[in-house]
Amino acid sequence: MEIFQQYKVGESCLLVDINFSSNPELNAELSELQGLVHAANWQVKEVVSLNRKYPDPKYFCGRGKLDEISEKLKEGGIDLIVFNHSITPSQERNIETLLSCKVIDRTRLILEIFSQRAKTHEGKLQVELAQLNYAATRLVRGWTHLERQKGGIGVRGGPGETQLELDRRLLRQRISQIEKRLDKVRKQRGLSRASRKKNKVPTIAFVGYTNAGKSTLFNHISGADVLAKDQLFATLDPTLRQIHIPKLGQVVLSDTVGFIRNLPHDLVEAFCATLEEAIEADLLVHVVDYADSEYISYIEQVNSVLTQINAHEKPVLIVYNKIDRLESVHPDIHYHEDKPADVYLSAKEGIGIDYLFEAIARHFNQNWLKGVLTLEPQKAKVRAQLYALGVVEKEKIADDGNYQLAITIAKSDFDAISHMNKLELMANFSQH
């Protein structure tokens, strides 16, 4: 049963953007809608902007404005209208009937992009689940295959009811199947996270407004090949990598889908599994496009989504990215007493990454030891372990042949090395 229509790449469309004075929460940025359309590989032929106090209950933007839109459709040869809002199934059906044109809303556009981006098995399941939940509210629309069902003696209702009931039952069955599969995937992820926690491997999730440079930063420090483009929702599927961070050790990084303004609630629920790594992470790295004049607003939007997925109480380290686009802004790190540091860097140019590593290590290692550790030559294994952690700042060989290592190390790592080698290293450590 083909319920969710796929639109062609290169489809030309008309955008409708309405500013509602009575309810600003309904409004969304036109530039973001244009970015979403571009991400779907469609072409914008016309843009219609207007002001209203309230949405029209029947036609959303009003009958008079639809007459104007109808003229633009004929002039431009356009057969697709994209609303910068969520519209009801009845409003969508009324507009399509009046204009004889395909109509989609902002939620449907996002789903179209997700269907193009999903590559993994889990991502495809999440996309299909969101599509089916969306389509379930629109089964009342007058498709021709429903009209071919005939009523008569012994058949309740009128034309199309039998087929409509069949479609609804098939939808419910498919949704149930996908939810069971996703539940299995979540359990598998849960086992992986439990293993990491058992081995005390910190988990760090990259979050941020879409197109803030998360994937570029993630690729730079992890060696991954996640798609990084100047495009909304370039990354959809979560990617995990284990890396070594100096003065800390092994950590697991995860790159998540970018957030956008007014992310529809049903999409948040459907893609909760995609964001599950953020929910379960020990630390969130919030990547911000510092070169964007609206960056404060985008920070607020990300915080809003984190609240929706119950991740707002996680410690957050803010990374102000793209400083290479700004004059008089240099790589830097700002420490805070009660929360992780703020870091200023450029993921594209690879400058300031050391500050990010330092901030992450400092967050997870609140207790530090700084001083000189003296090791006998036969303790070369301990020396190698310290170098592997990246905690050795200087080294010299004393007159008696012993190693003298100037180190800055987390006390937890120092104690772990002592325990691993069954040594009392503190006796040979002069702290200062």
Side-chain angles (χ1 to χ4, degrees), residues 193-301:
R193 280 193 296 269
S195 176
R196 293 197 297 264
K197 289 183 181 297
K198 183 178 179 180
N199 295 322
K200 296 183 179 180
V201 178
T203 57
I204 303 168
F206 282 42
V207 299
Y209 206 79
T210 188
N211 208 27
K214 292 187 297 83
S215 296
T216 301
L217 180 59
F218 183 85
N219 288 343
H220 188 92
I221 66 178
S222 70
D225 57 354
V226 175
L227 177 63
K229 294 178 65 178
D230 186 17
Q231 189 179 74
L232 301 185
F233 293 128
T235 307
L236 174 60
D237 297 308
T239 304
L240 278 72
R241 290 290 187 275
Q242 188 172 66
I243 69 165
H244 175 87
I245 290 185
K247 301 182 182 179
L248 176 59
Q250 296 297 313
V251 301
V252 172
L253 304 180
S254 69
D255 187 25
T256 61
V257 63
F259 302 162
I260 64 168
R261 188 187 304 271
N262 299 334
L263 187 65
H265 290 282
D266 51 349
L267 288 187
V268 172
E269 294 173 4
F271 287 89
C272 212
T274 301
L275 301 172
E276 198 167 0
E277 292 300 330
I279 299 171
E280 299 294 337
D282 298 308
L283 173 67
L284 301 181
V285 173
H286 180 176
V287 182
V288 177
D289 182 354
Y290 196 42
D292 194 313
S293 60
E294 299 290 325
Y295 78 92
I296 294 178
S297 172
Y298 294 154
I299 290 175
E300 293 172 351
Q301 292 298 322

Side-chain angles (χ1 to χ4, degrees), residues 9 82 135 138 154 221 252 265 267 305 324:
V9 173
V82 182
R138 283 158 165 78
I221 66 178
V252 172
H265 290 282
L267 288 187
V305 175
D324 55 293

Side-chain angles (χ1 to χ4, degrees), residues 7-15 37 41-46 73 76-82 101-102:
Y7 295 97
K8 297 179 295 183
V9 173
E11 191 112 34
S12 60
C13 58
L14 179 147
L15 309 186
V37 170
N41 297 314
W42 298 345
Q43 298 176 356
V44 178
K45 285 290 190 69
E46 291 282 352
L73 295 177
I78 304 168
D79 57 1
L80 175 64
I81 301 175
V82 182
C101 178
K102 291 177 290 187

Side-chain angles (χ1 to χ4, degrees), residues 46-57:
E46 291 282 352
V47 177
V48 174
S49 299
L50 63 144
N51 297 312
R52 285 186 65 91
K53 191 171 183 179
Y54 303 101
D56 181 82

Side-chain angles (χ1 to χ4, degrees), residues 52-72:
R52 285 186 65 91
K53 191 171 183 179
Y54 303 101
D56 181 82
K58 186 173 183 179
Y59 293 111
F60 195 73
C61 61
R63 175 60 190 268
K65 184 56 66 173
L66 286 183
D67 291 339
E68 177 186 331
I69 292 174
S70 178
E71 292 299 320
K72 292 183 179 294

